Amino acid sequence: MATTSVAVPDTPLIRLALARADDALVLGHRLSEWTGHAPTLEEDLALANIALDLIGQARSLYALAGEDCGLDEDALAYRRDERAYRNLLLVEQPNGDFARTIVRQFLYAAFIDAWWQAMTASCEPRLAAIAGKAEKETAYHLRHSAEWLIRLGDGTAESHRRAQAALDALFPFAAEMFEPVTAAAFDVAPASLREGWDRQVDAVLATAGLTRPAAPWSHSGGRAGRHTEHLGHLLSEMQYLQRVHPGATW
Amino acid sequence: MYSQGLNQAETDDTADATRAARFQARIDAEDKIEPNDWMPEAYRRTLIRQISQHAHSEIVGMLPEGNWITRAPSLRRKAALLAKVQDEGGHGLYLYAAAETLGATREELVDQLLAGRAKYSSIFNYPTLTWADIGAIGWLVDGAAIMNQIPLCRCSFGPYARAMIRVCKEESFHQRQGYEIMLTLCRGTPEQKAMAQDALDRWWWPCLMMFGPPDTESQHSDTSMKWKIKRFTNDGLRQKFIDATVPQGHFLGLTFPDPELRRDEATGHWSHGPIDWEEFKRVVAGGGFCAADRLAARRKAHEEGEWVREAAAAHAAKRAAKLAASKEAA
């Protein structure tokens, strides 16, 4: 029956495209939850803008995965359940306060911007083309979140406390970003970006006057579909119309 | 503050009378009044009230549609809705800026909204219950807004008129998008079509109320017409909207929730049944179904954002102080 979730074949290209698409969609969805509720009108516009970029990236990547498995972007986004989602645990974490949202964005953007930059040289031309567009967007996301993290770290005692608490809470989710997704030649190994990420994060934290958490452990499992409890709620909200009206066109 | 340099109320009555005559002559000649030009205090107050109400409407208007961003049924619809709600925030921003040219700050205007002293369009006090409401809002609410706003592109106050030109371009795009959602639903499954009909049933009458009370009862019309802030009467605009919208609804195969709706062959206009002005008054007075929720959402965002705004201000002050110190040292 049409409500049944779709099955997606596992090839390196599909796995990579889906993992990155799921990252972008889930984070874009989280940011879109701020719309109308942000601390300033300017931030309402900025967060919606970043969300739109990420949803746009997700659509390009789903389209790419779909070319290889015959499913459209909506089948891939709306008809896979949480165990089939391949996103990082970091991006599904709830928005929390503004500091939590900014730290989540910064940790991710500092990684993904470098990854997209490297992917512009991918030997898979369709991925390289997506990378060319995505990198320009994530460079802005990185600048936006880094500038805010500095404002929050340096601003008031309260903003400093909240920014530090957000870092402490989210740092255990950062290491997952550096796990390999595929071993394919067209993929850039995330581990190769670790050093650059460390440098960039340390530099921003130093300017912000924040302390890098020791993170004695890290959480992992998103790439294998083992998620935190938050993702199921996000997907039930996102997917409900497609699931309630199987086969309908919107 | 940006607007402090602008001219303030004049007290000399004779001088005022001469200026007022010159002011009216400029308006009659279709000249644009600019922020630094002399203007009667009542003109300034009327515009601040109208522009800020318009800005508040854009900001509160983000909430009912924002209610469906996370549940939009396809990625294309999700992106379009998010972009639309973002446009509304942008409209709010230009409009607050236009009001600032008249000497009101965004902070004080927002405070009035949060304190419940300022009005916003009562249409946003109705709930969005299904996805079809997103289509109906685009088609009907934005359609009605365009009818109200196109004449404002020729408003006598320059900054408002110029803001409206851009706002109207975006609104007409939103309206087509909303109609396209309705069209897709009406050509879809029976459940989808029923969803579209239900949305029209709920939104039609409140949309007719968006044009304000009947001309016989409107308080602000005469002076606003003289000042060319307003160019058409409430009833005139309402009729234009009905005439444009009814054929669109029939094309969708939907029925309007008004048994008295019929086309007058002689005039070509659609005549309608009585509007429930008691409901309108109740909603305008703050008794709207979602009024408490809408204000609570705005207050919550404002209160929870306070530490963020303070942090940004504190950081900016520290940076400025550092910069000044380094200049002094050099």
Side-chain angles (χ1 to χ4, degrees):
Chain A
M1 155 186 171
T3 42
T4 310
S5 300
V6 294
V8 184
D10 186 29
T11 69
L13 184 71
I14 292 176
R15 197 183 323 144
L16 180 62
L18 277 187
R20 293 289 171 226
D22 291 350
D23 287 346
L25 178 62
V26 170
L27 185 56
H29 184 103
R30 279 290 184 229
L31 291 174
S32 79
E33 293 170 359
W34 274 103
T35 311
H37 308 280
T40 66
L41 191 45
E42 286 77 359
E43 274 316 291
D44 250 322
L45 303 188
L47 294 175
N49 210 46
I50 297 171
L52 274 169
D53 287 343
L54 291 169
I55 291 168
Q57 291 172 12
R59 293 182 67 188
S60 305
L61 289 159
Y62 286 134
L64 174 58
E67 279 176 31
D68 283 22
C69 67
L71 291 164
D72 67 18
E73 58 176 25
D74 290 328
L76 291 169
Y78 290 87
R79 288 167 57 204
R80 281 180 305 136
D81 64 22
E82 59 193 289
R83 298 284 285 112
Y85 259 72
R86 291 288 176 261
N87 61 280
L88 296 162
L89 303 178
L90 174 69
V91 297
E92 72 198 36
Q93 297 310 302
N95 286 339
D97 63 7
F98 186 69
R100 197 63 87 95
T101 292
I102 289 297
V103 167
R104 185 185 60 198
Q105 197 68 37
F106 172 67
L107 297 179
Y108 176 73
F111 163 74
I112 201 69
D113 185 50
W115 189 79
W116 281 126
Q117 259 177 42
M119 283 297 288
T120 56
S122 170
C123 60
E124 162 52 72
R126 293 173 295 175
L127 277 170
I130 295 173
K133 182 167 182 288
E135 190 279 320
K136 292 188 189 74
E137 296 166 346
T138 53
Y140 162 69
H141 305 172
L142 176 58
R143 200 172 74 227
H144 172 265
S145 56
E147 284 173 0
W148 265 112
L149 191 54
I150 291 168
R151 277 183 207 116
L152 298 182
D154 179 61
T156 62
E158 182 180 10
S159 68
H160 181 91
R161 177 184 61 73
R162 287 175 183 263
Q164 188 63 54
L167 271 173
D168 295 347
L170 292 175
F171 230 78
F173 294 103
E176 192 187 16
M177 293 190 290
F178 301 98
E179 293 174 2
V181 179
T182 75
F186 55 73
D187 192 1
V188 169
S192 67
L193 305 169
R194 179 81 206 221
E195 234 174 83
W197 184 86
D198 279 334
R199 265 199 313 276
Q200 184 145 36
V201 168
D202 289 344
V204 171
L205 293 188
T207 315
L210 294 164
T211 310
R212 181 176 172 137
W217 57 77
S218 55
H219 299 303
S220 162
R223 299 298 190 210
R226 287 189 308 273
H227 291 278
T228 60
E229 290 175 352
H230 305 296
L231 183 68
H233 295 280
L234 183 153
L235 293 181
S236 15
E237 188 171 336
M238 185 175 92
Q239 298 180 339
Y240 112 87
L241 274 173
Q242 287 267 350
R243 300 284 196 176
V244 170
H245 299 272
T249 303
W250 300 94
Chain B
M1 183 203 89
Y2 169 67
S3 51
Q4 263 172 2
L6 305 175
N7 57 35
Q8 298 297 318
E10 300 284 342
T11 45
D12 186 320
D13 286 350
T14 348
D16 265 12
T18 322
R19 282 172 172 148
R22 207 183 306 142
F23 172 83
Q24 189 60 48
R26 286 185 62 192
I27 295 224
D28 294 341
E30 299 285 338
D31 250 11
K32 288 279 176 269
I33 306 300
E34 296 299 335
N36 274 319
D37 296 345
W38 183 89
M39 62 186 77
E41 269 313 291
Y43 177 84
R44 186 187 299 275
R45 276 198 309 276
T46 302
L47 276 166
I48 291 176
R49 193 193 68 239
Q50 183 170 333
I51 297 173
S52 62
Q53 282 180 9
H54 192 165
H56 299 330
S57 301
E58 298 283 357
I59 301 307
V60 177
M62 294 170 81
L63 299 171
E65 289 178 283
N67 184 36
W68 280 89
I69 291 172
T70 57
R71 292 179 288 171
S74 71
L75 293 181
R76 181 170 80 92
R77 295 292 185 202
K78 188 193 271 307
L81 179 59
L82 184 52
K84 175 181 196 264
V85 178
Q86 187 196 29
D87 282 348
E88 282 154 13
H91 298 170
L93 209 51
Y94 324 137
L95 287 163
Y96 283 126
E100 286 189 318
T101 70
L102 290 160
T105 66
R106 200 208 298 186
E107 291 73 18
E108 70 188 84
L109 297 174
V110 168
D111 284 347
Q112 287 169 10
L113 171 70
L114 299 180
R117 293 198 307 275
K119 297 220 182 317
Y120 57 86
S121 180
S122 50
I123 196 77
F124 300 117
N125 287 330
Y126 291 87
T128 50
L129 301 180
T130 74
W131 171 250
D133 290 21
I134 299 307
I137 288 182
W139 172 38
L140 299 172
V141 175
D142 292 333
I146 291 166
M147 285 291 172
N148 270 326
Q149 290 168 11
I150 291 274
L152 289 173
C153 298
R154 293 189 295 133
C155 162
S156 60
F157 186 57
Y160 194 28
R162 290 188 288 272
M164 277 305 110
I165 291 171
R166 179 158 175 191
V167 168
C168 282
K169 278 189 190 144
E170 293 180 351
E171 292 292 1
S172 53
F173 180 69
H174 297 164
Q175 201 238 356
R176 284 201 297 276
Q177 222 170 41
Y179 189 72
E180 202 253 326
I181 290 177
M182 294 300 273
L183 193 61
T184 307
L185 293 174
C186 290
R187 289 178 178 170
T189 65
E191 288 89 348
Q192 286 176 303
K193 183 154 189 195
M195 204 186 266
Q197 179 64 56
D198 169 59
L200 175 60
D201 291 347
R202 283 181 289 111
W203 289 94
W204 177 245
W205 290 108
C207 280
L208 296 189
M209 296 175 198
M210 281 176 71
F211 296 92
D215 295 343
T216 46
E217 287 171 36
S218 179
Q219 310 167 22
H220 303 296
S221 279
D222 291 350
T223 346
S224 286
M225 292 277 230
K226 187 182 85 179
W227 282 335
K228 296 195 177 160
I229 293 173
K230 193 171 172 151
R231 292 185 180 254
F232 297 97
T233 66
N234 292 354
D235 287 334
L237 287 170
R238 187 168 14 245
Q239 187 62 51
K240 262 175 101 137
F241 171 73
I242 295 172
D243 290 343
T245 307
V246 169
Q248 294 169 358
H250 289 160
F251 181 78
L252 293 173
L254 296 177
T255 310
F256 286 85
D258 178 0
E260 293 176 46
L261 189 69
R262 55 182 55 84
R263 193 164 178 274
D264 182 328
E265 292 303 330
T267 62
H269 292 304
W270 286 86
S271 61
H272 58 87
I275 294 173
D276 180 358
W277 292 113
E278 289 312 308
E279 175 177 326
F280 175 75
K281 282 179 198 152
R282 191 182 69 238
V283 179
V284 169
F289 192 70
C290 296
D293 289 343
R294 300 289 184 240
L295 267 190
R298 288 311 313 158
R299 284 186 190 130
K300 183 166 183 279
H302 190 77
E303 282 160 16
E304 290 180 357
E306 191 156 15
W307 69 269
V308 179
R309 296 189 298 273
E310 280 170 6
H315 171 71
K318 284 185 198 175
R319 270 181 56 149
K322 261 188 215 156
L323 198 68
S326 69
K327 268 189 190 157
E328 217 161 274

